[in-house]
């Protein structure tokens, strides 16, 4: 069992590297596309060829969802990771069938919550890379972590 | 067929209201949770009861994905809607099984792209509501739209 982390366990400069990676398949790209982002370049190779992406590409929201999975697999917050908002998210390169995504998450801020007295807010910068170590997504995301009970 | 929109068709103050809504089921919450956000409160009613959310709740990334579907269903950009980054996204209330989500999207900025000469950037504010007209998500998102060929 991984160690459950409380607010006091986080510090600026702390880094979390994903263990292993997430392989993205054409099937997953199309399934997610059909459900949540039904545009030709997320649904079909041939239709993708004639598009902006010049081929099948993952919805940016699929990439974001995969990054969330890597995040919860690699940072075990006591009671669960509760999102406290996205400050920025950029898709810097298309994610293609066969790509394998890994992440590097750095804590860039810690502060007590003003609205929830038993929680702190952890601010993180995430870089998601493909198998060639090219950045495909970068984001600044906040989550809540409970204060350790005295 | 909805009209295909080019950059020149967008203007500050323009609003797009989603037609119909997106019903969120417990099954979809759990399926998305298992795949992308495997935390107890996204997987199981009973486990959710004892959590921050006090019940089963949708992953914020599922809500974001549903909002993307409503977005592409209601704004038909010529050549497809290409995301150009998220400036902010906040989850303001949990989304529960049985909720129906609808959106209001307002154009808050239009500018030519500096890096892609045939495109403009459309800046939008999105509010996503549940069936009680409570805001569950708000975001500021940019997308590309092609310039109309002269």
């Amino acid at each position: 069992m991984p160690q459950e982390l409380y607010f006091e366990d986080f510090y600026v400069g702390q880094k979390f590297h994903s263990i292993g990676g997430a392989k993205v398949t054409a099937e997953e790209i199309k399934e997610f596309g059909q459900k949540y982002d039904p545009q030709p370049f997320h649904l079909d190779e041939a239709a993708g060829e004639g598009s902006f992406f010049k081929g099948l590409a993952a919805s940016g929201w699929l990439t974001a969802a995969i990054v969330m999975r890597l995040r919860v697999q690699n940072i075990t917050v006591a009671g669960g990771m509760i999102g406290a908002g996205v400050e920025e998210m950029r898709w810097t390169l298309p994610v293609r069938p066969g790509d394998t995504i890994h992440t590097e998450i750095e804590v860039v801020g810690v502060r007590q919550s003003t609205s929830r007295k038993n929680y702190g807010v952890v601010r993180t910068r995430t870089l998601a890379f493909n198998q060639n170590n090219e950045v495909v997504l970068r984001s600044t995301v906040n989550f809540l972590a409970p204060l350790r009970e005295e």
Side-chain angles (χ1 to χ4, degrees), chain A residues 38-66:
Chain A
Q39 306 200 82
F41 38 69
H42 301 321
L43 298 173
D44 183 82
E45 283 85 354
E49 289 299 335
S51 79
F52 179 91
F53 290 112
K54 303 192 192 318
L56 188 67
S59 168
W61 298 94
L62 170 56
T63 308
I66 289 171

